[in-house]
Amino acid sequence: MFGANFLQSDRPDMIARVSFVTPRQRTPLRSLTVSFILPFIVKYGGLEFRDIELLKLKYKIWQTLEKDPLFAHNAVTPTVEEQKRITQLQLKKINDYKFHTKEMVNSSYSRRTRTIMTINEAVQSLNPSVSVKMAIGIYLFSNALLSLGTERHHKFYESTFVERETLASFALTEIAHGSDARLMRTTATYDPQSKQFVIHTPDFEAAKCWVGNLGRTCTHTLLFAQLITPDGTNHGLHGFLVPIRNPETLETYPGLIVGDMSEKIGVNGIDNGFIMFNQYRIPRENLLNRTADVTEEGIYESSFSDPSKILGAALENLSAGRIGIMQESCHSIASAVTIAIRYAATRAQFGERDNEISLIEYQLHQWRLFGYVAAAVVFRMYIENFSRVYLSIVEKSNAGMKVDNLSEAVSEIHAMVSCSKPLLTWTVLSAAQQCREACGGHGYLKCSNLGDIRSNHEATVTYEGDNNVLSQQTGNWLLRQFHSARNGGTVDSPLNTVTFLMDWEKWIAVRFRCSRTDELKTREFITTTYRWLICYLLIQTHEKYEAELAKGLSKFEARAKSQVYKWKELTKTYAEYLAIIFFLESLDKKEPSLQPVLTKLFCLYGLWSLDQHLVELYQGGYSQGESLARLLREAILELCGELKGEVVSVVDALAPTDFVLNSVLGKSDGNLYQNIQKAFFSHPGAFERAPWWREVVTIPKSKI
Amino acid sequence: MFGANFLQSDRPDMIARVSFVTPRQRTPLRSLTVSFILPFIVKYGGLEFRDIELLKLKYKIWQTLEKDPLFAHNAVTPTVEEQKRITQLQLKKINDYKFHTKEMVNSSYSRRTRTIMTINEAVQSLNPSVSVKMAIGIYLFSNALLSLGTERHHKFYESTFVERETLASFALTEIAHGSDARLMRTTATYDPQSKQFVIHTPDFEAAKCWVGNLGRTCTHTLLFAQLITPDGTNHGLHGFLVPIRNPETLETYPGLIVGDMSEKIGVNGIDNGFIMFNQYRIPRENLLNRTADVTEEGIYESSFSDPSKILGAALENLSAGRIGIMQESCHSIASAVTIAIRYAATRAQFGERDNEISLIEYQLHQWRLFGYVAAAVVFRMYIENFSRVYLSIVEKSNAGMKVDNLSEAVSEIHAMVSCSKPLLTWTVLSAAQQCREACGGHGYLKCSNLGDIRSNHEATVTYEGDNNVLSQQTGNWLLRQFHSARNGGTVDSPLNTVTFLMDWEKWIAVRFRCSRTDELKTREFITTTYRWLICYLLIQTHEKYEAELAKGLSKFEARAKSQVYKWKELTKTYAEYLAIIFFLESLDKKEPSLQPVLTKLFCLYGLWSLDQHLVELYQGGYSQGESLARLLREAILELCGELKGEVVSVVDALAPTDFVLNSVLGKSDGNLYQNIQKAFFSHPGAFERAPWWREVVTIPKSKI
């Protein structure tokens, strides 16, 4: 049965440790394992009843791949070349397993997408490079064909998404232009004589780069280039389907300079490539022509008049990618905290009268880790809930059903994604780092897996929109809503995330009035304080921006001068608020027995996040004097203490299987040192004399 | 001439970018290059006139190794095995180069040590694994022989430090005990029959581990084990010289299980090993017997009565290691900020009317990076100044000269080192991360070198004392001084770092009274605020600790409950204060032309650090209302703006040579994209078809 590994684990060592050191606070960990985790997994890990199938699929994938030697873990990192080979073979094998059943392929958009996301998550937690290859080369590509292309491109959709014969790529970023897509310099000039587009790269700075799958494997790329008609007009960026390699030989076609970008900090299984086009010709039909086309004679015909809108439609496709990143991030943080918490429960150090104490007993250690455990739970429920809302809107819209305020909802979702992807990916990055440090030297071993989790995850803070650049877009939207609310207009928030701005004067008037920590450990305190904060930061950002404009700066300059401490802080705060309100919405649907622990985790996440905003709370007059900081921090430490007995069970519920977790420090059996010993002793060559000993030996003048 | 590479670089591209985008603020970068950098290097990089020789030595090492193919950089990370081989060969070659001249070996302690540190720094910035191997296997080992051993161990000193025939290791940490050395379980039991010590490891949890050089290469180890006399008495940890391998064959001796710990997150050139002893016998004379000995008959004779003092004497040796780590950290942060600042000056993105703007023009980008540039400068001058003080005290003490308040000075230095190593290593870790992110996707390339700088550096937050554990020792000392001051006693601070606590009532009464940013950008404001903060945190920590004691907790428990927000914050604040006051002392000796830029960097570092303490400043009543946070943050942003024109020159002064920096993004010529192109195009196999194409090719059902 799926999840059985959690139930069968005895973890005698872990239980012994925890109960040994604090006999009076002994937690019935074993009974919790039975009574608490099962519903926790079913209701929380997999969520609602109708999602059991997806959870089963995830475990089926994990169990299938665990039995396949091609997916066995390597004790030593293979060479970059070998990683690429293994990754490509694994991708092929996963396609062959056909986890994407015919039934799934033909199911509703929402169902299909959630299945894809589940497959992606399952694969990502085993080998992130495979899931990125798959996400870019199959899902993003075929999705883009559907939304940007027309019937004539459908065969590519079939061969990529259904038959899995084609692996594609996505060529947007150029060497000198990443975040600023407007200034891309690759051109696609229409030639009416031959009825072809001529793709050209003016120089190396305009070479497309960071194109996943392009370095060695893809046969096609979806290229974004400036479309130029015979009259010399530049119609802006458009998508083109461009053949790159002969699928039978994987040789690149003449007219292309295609190279592999070689080694990176992580995800080295992906063959990121760069490409330069030398007057490279493709048929006219390869333009993805849903929103605009060029006639055989070379006349540009568009259903939009503004090229930036066309681009906007094209880039809207990227939301799915960002949501995918957030889901993967939820898995990465779950793995990281599982390893660190299990290690903390089994590793003892210091104590009195030679009674050593588990690390988890130390308040400092709890404080370092439990906030991230809470974040792991809150983020997962947030993203699960948000994905559902997002998918249902897209589904309705695709089906031509009426969605109220569709364009407002799209703006709101874009604003939400643009700040949430930064919040999640940054938080997970620091979680992975903190978990590594909390496992001390042993955490620095490759076999802890914390290094690889971190290095592979790190790319996400940069790709699919650099976090610092991306989150600025949220600020634009928030300021627009606030501006409207201040001027008696409406707030366009169909998802109801900032409707409260209509009453901004009420929220900004709230003051801190608590005198006991209990009063802070409530959803009311946390949501109210967040609303105050968002209003305060909106006012501050707005005033700063207006002041810069008043000095004569342009909008662009004024915005650049309003980022630090204002805009940036505002978007981060809003993202935390989103996680909180979406979590609360899900929480209310959980069965009562789960609510206490989830509520504690919620409060910890909320207060732990507010701790980072205390300066603004003081600066803005929400409170004066010492009590706010004191009570808030006391409440955090109380929650750490309250969660100590449950945190091992919580990570058990979050954790993947031991095979997937792949950490010698985090196995569910709790036999920490036996597992380390096994890893050390079975390591290839561990006890051998260095093969190169002859080269380095020094014969001493006199034997010592 | 050394440093000439800075002066010859024209950086036309960098100058063009910077001057292009802000014509009105154009900085005479070229003239700065000539007039500003030379004195900056000589006076600041290399410091005082008598240190020119050390600076020359560093450049001599860099230039020598640049010409040696063995030290050529690898475009792709070699296998872990190959990294170990190369590292050991490089170590051997460096020994052969005899940078450690006879003259140096015979010079004064202080001179000798500073030369060793210079060699170490020069090597570390090229290959950190080599410098760690050298630091542990040669310097720490031979130092320990001098301080723990007697004449009979001198031949080992000769063969290690002078002849470089022996490579040793340092075996302290056990699998189950790292930070808590008291509970180490490896025993050395004296056998009077054979006049030998019998070394034994009871089980795997007591195996020594993380022993650098032990996995493959060392011939001896300095082992710390519980010394047990025939009467069964355990006399605590002692140091023993233990042969591990036959130096002629590198085969381990019978009775030992020695294994290599395999792959780690970084510094994979070091062969970290584990070892288990099976009744392994060594001669009685191998006990390092400066402070205690065992007679032939098995009687323990000690000049100290308290075993913990013996241990204290043994571990005092580790200070040099921690100072070495801090010096290396200064190099790592210098390299990281150099890469990110040069990239920021040459990389343009966004702008108005297609006039793209260099990243360095963006306030957000300045704010993300300039604080770390300031930290790099402040840390280097702090550690340089502090090392000098430290070495002169050790030298005098070694020479038997009278040092006033020697034991108090030793305590103070230990307190300083125990919080400064955490501050520096953590700051450098986050600097490396921020620099990587600030270089976007290109920073994620291995050839940016930011990944390797980060991964190799990361170990320093854990080794030589885990940062979280180590810094607690500083708190002990600070609280002792404060307790004494409050009770009318003296403050034992021969280095004058906390003498101000005598007037703690005066400092804690200070209140924020500024109304203009100018008033904050002063050494008076910064040092005064730090003194207030330290007093406040001392009071808070003391009260918390006393309150926990009053609840009936033991000292151990009370201390554990006083870490978060109190003890931990206190020691961090004190470490920042140390950096500030030692920097200021050096600053006053610099020539007047350098003072403006150094003062700006100082103010930025001070205010940027205080920004992280605003909560305590509000909570403790140092200020109320919005002006403190507003002015402090405005001052930081003003300083960023003021430094924009000088920051490229500042990093030029901090930077090593291009060969050492080894970053395609950070070359001093400023030809960013040409350098990237060269790296991509010359990469082995970049344009080849994947060697494994036959295994992955998919023949489509129908050709597309």
Side-chain angles (χ1 to χ4, degrees):
Chain A
M1 198 210 137
F2 63 89
N5 67 311
F6 302 117
L7 306 177
Q8 286 164 2
S9 81
D10 283 328
R11 295 194 309 279
D13 190 39
M14 206 178 292
I15 292 165
R17 294 279 193 198
V18 172
S19 55
F20 168 68
V21 289
T22 50
R24 279 160 303 180
Q25 299 173 34
R26 181 167 186 160
T27 313
L29 207 57
R30 189 184 302 261
S31 64
L32 273 180
T33 310
V34 178
S35 68
F36 174 73
I37 293 183
L38 182 60
F40 204 81
I41 287 181
V42 174
K43 286 280 179 172
Y44 154 67
L47 293 132
E48 289 159 37
F49 186 72
R50 62 189 166 119
D51 293 325
I52 288 286
E53 263 181 60
L54 289 177
L55 191 60
K56 277 185 179 168
L57 172 61
K58 191 194 279 182
Y59 275 87
K60 183 186 153 197
I61 295 172
W62 283 345
Q63 284 160 356
T64 307
L65 302 186
E66 183 168 358
K67 288 179 204 133
D68 186 335
L70 181 61
F71 292 83
H73 297 294
N74 293 291
V76 177
T77 307
T79 62
V80 170
E81 189 63 49
E82 177 65 5
Q83 287 180 62
K84 285 180 189 157
R85 177 179 159 272
I86 295 172
T87 298
Q88 187 66 18
L89 287 173
Q90 290 185 346
L91 176 62
K92 210 170 167 231
K93 197 70 175 283
I94 287 166
N95 286 337
D96 291 347
Y97 277 123
K98 294 216 178 294
F99 299 121
H100 60 294
T101 59
K102 272 262 154 69
E103 186 202 341
M104 175 281 263
V105 167
N106 298 321
S107 63
S108 73
Y109 169 82
S110 175
R111 185 90 204 136
R112 189 169 71 238
T113 308
R114 293 197 62 213
T115 309
I116 290 171
M117 285 174 165
T118 302
I119 296 173
N120 209 53
E121 280 172 46
V123 172
Q124 186 268 346
S125 50
L126 260 175
N127 180 347
S129 291
V130 177
S131 82
V132 175
K133 289 206 87 153
M134 193 156 69
I136 296 169
I138 299 172
Y139 304 138
L140 278 185
F141 178 76
S142 49
N143 239 358
L145 288 181
L146 288 184
S147 61
L148 302 179
T150 52
E151 296 70 40
R152 69 190 187 206
H153 307 110
H154 198 71
K155 61 182 178 181
F156 291 98
Y157 176 81
E158 281 287 316
S159 81
T160 308
F161 186 66
V162 185
E163 302 301 336
R164 303 289 164 104
E165 291 171 345
T166 301
L167 184 70
S169 63
F170 217 88
L172 175 61
T173 298
E174 295 178 358
I175 292 284
H177 291 99
S179 296
D180 189 358
R182 283 180 312 118
L183 293 186
M184 301 286 175
R185 291 164 58 232
T186 305
T187 50
T189 309
Y190 185 68
D191 170 17
Q193 254 73 51
S194 60
K195 300 189 178 98
Q196 291 173 323
F197 283 102
V198 184
I199 316 277
H200 192 65
T201 306
D203 53 46
F204 178 72
E205 292 188 29
K208 294 290 175 185
C209 64
W210 286 107
V211 186
N213 298 341
L214 176 67
R216 292 297 177 94
T217 52
C218 76
T219 56
H220 295 75
T221 198
L222 200 163
L223 172 78
F224 287 90
Q226 306 286 353
L227 191 161
I228 297 170
T229 40
D231 61 358
T233 309
N234 183 341
H235 300 272
L237 279 191
H238 287 67
F240 298 86
L241 196 63
V242 182
I244 301 292
R245 282 185 177 85
N246 181 335
E248 294 173 46
T249 65
L250 290 191
E251 284 173 308
T252 53
Y253 293 117
L256 302 177
I257 298 175
V258 181
D260 189 282
M261 290 172 80
S262 185
E263 190 169 345
K264 306 167 298 270
I265 288 175
V267 287
N268 274 306
I270 306 166
D271 49 320
N272 290 92
F274 60 93
I275 185 166
M276 296 176 76
F277 299 90
N278 183 17
Q279 311 288 353
Y280 187 73
R281 288 172 173 268
I282 57 170
R284 188 185 70 93
E285 293 76 16
N286 284 25
L287 169 66
L288 299 181
N289 60 332
R290 176 172 289 270
T291 55
D293 207 349
V294 173
T295 64
E296 292 198 0
E297 298 71 31
I299 309 299
Y300 184 83
E301 291 177 345
S302 167
S303 49
F304 291 92
S305 55
D306 179 358
S308 77
K309 281 196 185 162
I310 300 174
L311 179 63
L315 293 186
E316 200 50 57
N317 278 288
L318 294 172
S319 269
R322 287 171 189 151
I323 292 172
I325 288 175
M326 291 195 271
Q327 289 175 323
E328 293 177 1
S329 296
C330 291
H331 267 258
S332 299
I333 192 172
S335 294
V337 298
T338 298
I339 297 166
I341 291 295
R342 288 180 178 166
Y343 183 80
T346 46
R347 170 83 170 180
Q349 205 78 183
F350 293 105
E352 294 183 286
R353 297 170 299 281
D354 297 347
N355 279 345
E356 287 189 292
I357 291 180
S358 293
L359 299 184
I360 206 167
E361 297 289 334
Y362 290 96
Q363 193 180 63
L364 176 60
H365 212 78
Q366 294 164 9
W367 177 77
R368 288 167 67 189
L369 294 176
F370 290 7
Y372 290 113
V373 176
V377 172
V378 169
F379 287 167
R380 188 175 282 192
M381 284 173 66
Y382 163 39
I383 295 306
E384 178 67 33
N385 189 1
F386 171 63
S387 302
R388 209 179 293 274
V389 173
Y390 166 80
L391 291 173
S392 98
I393 290 176
V394 178
E395 179 162 67
K396 282 183 195 160
S397 146
N398 281 356
M401 291 164 68
K402 180 166 160 41
V403 181
D404 291 339
N405 309 107
L406 177 61
S407 96
E408 289 78 9
V410 167
S411 296
E412 186 167 19
I413 287 173
H414 184 66
M416 293 169 72
V417 169
S418 298
C419 65
S420 297
K421 181 256 183 184
L423 173 69
L424 265 70
T425 55
W426 269 328
T427 306
V428 176
L429 189 62
S430 58
Q433 181 61 27
Q434 188 61 260
C435 290
R436 195 305 275 165
E437 292 184 28
C439 294
H442 296 329
Y444 196 67
L445 290 168
K446 175 182 167 64
C447 60
S448 81
N449 202 20
L450 289 164
D452 284 343
I453 289 173
R454 194 204 161 287
S455 301
N456 289 326
H457 172 76
E458 187 183 328
T460 65
V461 308
T462 301
Y463 67 38
E464 293 276 336
D466 177 88
N467 279 0
N468 278 293
V469 179
L470 185 63
S471 57
Q472 296 182 21
Q473 303 189 25
T474 305
N476 290 337
W477 180 82
L478 283 170
L479 283 166
R480 231 170 28 238
Q481 306 312 318
F482 182 60
H483 189 260
S484 174
R486 268 169 85 125
N487 293 291
T490 57
V491 169
D492 291 328
S493 178
L495 277 76
N496 207 18
T497 66
V498 290
T499 319
F500 73 90
L501 288 182
M502 293 298 290
D503 305 316
W504 68 274
E505 283 165 311
K506 173 189 131 193
W507 294 111
I508 198 67
V510 173
R511 289 294 174 271
F512 180 70
R513 301 254 178 264
C514 306
S515 56
R516 299 192 327 273
T517 54
D518 282 355
E519 299 168 82
L520 283 81
K521 292 189 270 185
T522 63
R523 63 168 74 188
E524 290 70 27
F525 172 78
I526 292 166
T527 51
T528 301
T529 307
Y530 264 100
R531 287 178 178 192
W532 182 92
L533 257 178
I534 291 169
C535 291
Y536 172 73
L537 288 165
L538 274 166
I539 295 168
Q540 291 286 305
T541 307
H542 174 79
E543 286 178 358
K544 172 73 176 168
Y545 178 65
E546 293 292 328
E548 296 296 338
L549 286 178
K551 284 182 200 162
L553 295 193
S554 68
K555 283 183 180 180
F556 173 81
E557 291 166 328
R559 200 157 49 224
K561 288 269 191 192
S562 312
Q563 294 298 324
V564 185
Y565 301 122
K566 313 282 185 198
W567 205 290
K568 184 175 165 66
E569 196 76 11
L570 168 65
T571 56
K572 177 172 184 284
T573 307
Y574 173 62
E576 289 161 2
Y577 176 71
L578 292 174
I580 281 167
I581 57 173
F582 275 74
F583 174 91
L584 285 176
E585 198 177 74
S586 291
L587 176 64
D588 292 336
K589 296 177 191 152
K590 300 291 163 198
E591 67 170 45
S593 68
L594 287 174
Q595 305 240 353
V597 66
L598 291 176
T599 302
K600 271 184 263 181
L601 290 163
F602 163 78
C603 290
L604 179 57
Y605 176 74
L607 297 176
W608 178 78
S609 300
L610 279 174
D611 192 12
Q612 296 165 52
H613 301 294
L614 277 173
V615 173
E616 288 71 30
L617 293 172
Y618 276 116
Q619 188 182 2
Y622 180 71
S623 177
Q624 289 200 337
E626 54 79 53
S627 70
L628 169 64
R630 176 172 54 77
L631 289 172
L632 190 129
R633 290 171 166 189
E634 278 176 14
I636 290 171
L637 295 177
E638 284 172 13
L639 285 163
C640 286
E642 292 166 26
L643 281 162
K644 186 185 69 179
E646 289 162 323
V647 74
V648 173
S649 298
V650 171
V651 300
D652 277 356
L654 287 170
T657 65
D658 280 357
F659 168 68
V660 173
L661 192 62
N662 186 27
S663 172
V664 75
L665 307 185
K667 285 197 196 305
S668 59
D669 62 13
N671 295 322
L672 176 63
Y673 297 120
Q674 289 96 315
N675 291 325
I676 294 180
Q677 182 171 17
K678 179 168 170 273
F680 282 6
F681 277 55
S682 65
H683 200 85
F687 296 110
E688 274 177 37
R689 177 160 52 155
W692 32 267
W693 68 273
R694 286 181 185 83
E695 297 175 66
V696 300
V697 77
T698 307
I699 309 297
K701 283 181 195 163
S702 57
K703 275 198 207 174
I704 292 159
Chain B
M1 200 207 135
F2 60 91
N5 65 312
F6 301 116
L7 307 178
Q8 285 162 5
S9 81
D10 283 327
R11 296 194 307 283
D13 189 40
M14 206 178 291
I15 291 166
R17 294 278 194 197
V18 172
S19 55
F20 169 68
V21 288
T22 50
R24 276 160 305 182
Q25 299 174 35
R26 181 166 186 161
T27 313
L29 207 58
R30 188 186 299 263
S31 64
L32 273 179
T33 311
V34 178
S35 70
F36 175 73
I37 293 183
L38 182 61
F40 204 79
I41 287 182
V42 174
K43 284 284 179 171
Y44 155 67
L47 292 133
E48 290 160 35
F49 186 72
R50 62 191 167 121
D51 293 325
I52 288 286
E53 262 180 61
L54 289 177
L55 190 60
K56 276 186 180 169
L57 172 61
K58 190 194 280 183
Y59 275 87
K60 182 185 153 195
I61 294 171
W62 284 345
Q63 285 162 354
T64 305
L65 303 185
E66 183 168 358
K67 286 180 207 135
D68 186 335
L70 181 62
F71 292 83
H73 298 293
N74 293 289
V76 177
T77 307
T79 63
V80 170
E81 190 63 50
E82 177 65 5
Q83 286 181 60
K84 285 180 188 156
R85 174 179 162 271
I86 294 173
T87 299
Q88 187 67 19
L89 287 173
Q90 289 185 346
L91 176 63
K92 210 171 168 230
K93 197 71 177 282
I94 287 167
N95 286 337
D96 291 346
Y97 276 123
K98 294 214 178 296
F99 298 122
H100 59 294
T101 59
K102 272 262 154 68
E103 185 201 343
M104 175 281 265
V105 168
N106 297 323
S107 62
S108 73
Y109 168 81
S110 174
R111 186 90 203 136
R112 190 169 71 239
T113 308
R114 295 198 61 215
T115 308
I116 289 170
M117 288 173 164
T118 301
I119 296 172
N120 209 53
E121 281 171 45
V123 172
Q124 187 268 345
S125 49
L126 259 175
N127 180 347
S129 291
V130 177
S131 82
V132 174
K133 288 207 87 152
M134 191 158 71
I136 295 168
I138 299 172
Y139 304 137
L140 277 186
F141 178 76
S142 50
N143 240 359
L145 288 181
L146 288 184
S147 60
L148 302 178
T150 52
E151 296 69 39
R152 68 191 188 206
H153 307 109
H154 198 72
K155 62 182 176 181
F156 291 97
Y157 177 81
E158 280 287 318
S159 82
T160 309
F161 186 67
V162 184
E163 302 300 336
R164 305 287 164 102
E165 290 170 346
T166 301
L167 183 71
S169 63
F170 219 87
L172 174 63
T173 297
E174 295 179 358
I175 292 285
H177 291 99
S179 296
D180 189 358
R182 282 179 315 117
L183 293 186
M184 300 286 174
R185 291 163 60 230
T186 305
T187 50
T189 309
Y190 185 67
D191 170 17
Q193 256 72 51
S194 61
K195 298 186 178 106
Q196 290 174 323
F197 283 101
V198 184
I199 316 278
H200 193 65
T201 306
D203 54 43
F204 178 72
E205 292 189 28
K208 294 291 178 185
C209 64
W210 285 108
V211 187
N213 298 340
L214 177 66
R216 293 296 177 95
T217 51
C218 77
T219 57
H220 295 75
T221 197
L222 200 163
L223 171 79
F224 287 89
Q226 305 285 354
L227 190 162
I228 297 171
T229 40
D231 61 359
T233 310
N234 183 340
H235 300 273
L237 278 190
H238 287 67
F240 299 86
L241 196 62
V242 182
I244 300 292
R245 282 186 177 84
N246 181 332
E248 292 172 48
T249 66
L250 290 192
E251 285 173 308
T252 55
Y253 294 117
L256 301 178
I257 297 175
V258 182
D260 188 280
M261 292 172 78
S262 184
E263 189 169 344
K264 305 169 299 267
I265 289 176
V267 285
N268 275 306
I270 306 168
D271 49 321
N272 290 92
F274 61 93
I275 185 166
M276 298 177 73
F277 299 90
N278 183 18
Q279 310 289 351
Y280 187 73
R281 290 173 171 267
I282 57 169
R284 188 185 70 93
E285 292 77 15
N286 284 25
L287 170 66
L288 298 181
N289 61 331
R290 175 171 291 269
T291 56
D293 208 347
V294 172
T295 64
E296 291 197 359
E297 296 73 29
I299 309 300
Y300 184 83
E301 291 178 342
S302 167
S303 48
F304 290 91
S305 54
D306 179 358
S308 75
K309 282 195 183 163
I310 300 173
L311 179 62
L315 293 186
E316 199 51 57
N317 279 288
L318 294 173
S319 267
R322 288 172 188 150
I323 293 173
I325 287 174
M326 292 194 270
Q327 289 176 322
E328 293 176 1
S329 296
C330 291
H331 266 258
S332 299
I333 193 173
S335 294
V337 298
T338 298
I339 296 166
I341 291 294
R342 287 179 179 167
Y343 184 79
T346 47
R347 170 83 170 179
Q349 205 79 181
F350 292 106
E352 293 181 287
R353 295 171 299 279
D354 297 347
N355 279 345
E356 287 190 291
I357 292 182
S358 293
L359 300 184
I360 208 168
E361 298 289 333
Y362 290 96
Q363 193 180 62
L364 176 59
H365 211 79
Q366 295 163 10
W367 177 77
R368 288 167 67 188
L369 294 176
F370 290 6
Y372 290 113
V373 175
V377 171
V378 169
F379 288 168
R380 188 175 282 191
M381 282 173 66
Y382 163 38
I383 295 306
E384 177 69 34
N385 190 0
F386 172 62
S387 302
R388 209 180 291 275
V389 173
Y390 167 79
L391 291 173
S392 96
I393 289 175
V394 177
E395 177 161 72
K396 280 183 196 160
S397 147
N398 282 357
M401 290 164 68
K402 180 166 161 36
V403 181
D404 291 339
N405 309 106
L406 178 61
S407 98
E408 289 78 9
V410 167
S411 297
E412 187 167 18
I413 286 172
H414 183 67
M416 293 168 71
V417 169
S418 298
C419 64
S420 296
K421 181 254 185 188
L423 173 69
L424 265 71
T425 55
W426 268 329
T427 306
V428 176
L429 189 62
S430 57
Q433 182 60 28
Q434 188 62 258
C435 289
R436 194 306 275 164
E437 292 184 29
C439 293
H442 295 330
Y444 197 65
L445 289 169
K446 176 183 165 64
C447 61
S448 82
N449 202 20
L450 289 165
D452 285 343
I453 288 173
R454 196 205 160 286
S455 301
N456 290 326
H457 172 76
E458 186 183 329
T460 65
V461 307
T462 300
Y463 67 39
E464 293 277 338
D466 176 89
N467 280 0
N468 279 291
V469 179
L470 185 63
S471 57
Q472 296 183 20
Q473 302 189 25
T474 305
N476 290 337
W477 181 81
L478 283 171
L479 283 166
R480 237 177 15 247
Q481 307 312 317
F482 181 60
H483 189 261
S484 174
R486 266 169 86 123
N487 293 291
T490 56
V491 169
D492 291 328
S493 177
L495 277 76
N496 208 18
T497 67
V498 291
T499 318
F500 74 90
L501 289 181
M502 294 298 290
D503 305 316
W504 68 274
E505 284 165 310
K506 173 189 132 194
W507 294 110
I508 198 67
V510 172
R511 289 294 174 272
F512 178 71
R513 301 252 178 266
C514 305
S515 55
R516 297 192 328 273
T517 54
D518 282 356
E519 298 168 80
L520 283 81
K521 293 189 268 184
T522 63
R523 64 168 72 189
E524 290 70 27
F525 172 77
I526 293 167
T527 52
T528 299
T529 308
Y530 264 100
R531 287 178 179 192
W532 181 93
L533 258 178
I534 291 170
C535 291
Y536 173 73
L537 288 164
L538 274 166
I539 295 168
Q540 290 286 304
T541 307
H542 174 79
E543 286 177 359
K544 172 73 175 167
Y545 179 65
E546 293 292 327
E548 297 296 339
L549 287 177
K551 286 182 200 161
L553 296 191
S554 68
K555 284 184 180 180
F556 173 81
E557 292 165 326
R559 199 156 49 222
K561 288 269 190 194
S562 312
Q563 294 299 323
V564 185
Y565 301 122
K566 313 282 185 197
W567 205 291
K568 185 175 165 64
E569 196 75 12
L570 168 66
T571 55
K572 178 172 183 285
T573 307
Y574 172 63
E576 290 162 0
Y577 177 70
L578 291 175
I580 281 167
I581 59 173
F582 274 74
F583 175 91
L584 285 176
E585 197 177 76
S586 292
L587 176 63
D588 292 336
K589 295 177 190 151
K590 299 291 164 198
E591 68 170 45
S593 69
L594 288 174
Q595 305 240 354
V597 67
L598 290 174
T599 301
K600 270 183 264 182
L601 290 163
F602 162 78
C603 289
L604 179 58
Y605 176 74
L607 298 175
W608 179 77
S609 301
L610 280 175
D611 192 12
Q612 296 166 51
H613 301 293
L614 277 174
V615 174
E616 288 71 30
L617 293 172
Y618 276 116
Q619 187 181 3
Y622 180 72
S623 179
Q624 289 199 337
E626 54 78 55
S627 69
L628 169 63
R630 177 173 51 80
L631 290 172
L632 190 128
R633 291 171 165 189
E634 279 176 13
I636 290 171
L637 295 177
E638 284 172 13
L639 285 163
C640 285
E642 292 166 26
L643 281 162
K644 186 186 69 177
E646 289 163 323
V647 73
V648 173
S649 298
V650 171
V651 300
D652 278 355
L654 287 170
T657 64
D658 280 356
F659 168 67
V660 173
L661 192 61
N662 187 29
S663 171
V664 75
L665 306 185
K667 286 199 196 303
S668 59
D669 61 14
N671 295 323
L672 175 63
Y673 297 119
Q674 289 96 317
N675 291 325
I676 293 180
Q677 182 171 17
K678 178 166 172 275
F680 282 6
F681 277 55
S682 65
H683 200 84
F687 296 109
E688 274 177 36
R689 178 160 54 157
W692 32 268
W693 69 272
R694 287 181 185 81
E695 299 174 64
V696 300
V697 78
T698 308
I699 308 296
K701 283 181 196 163
S702 57
K703 273 198 206 174
I704 291 160

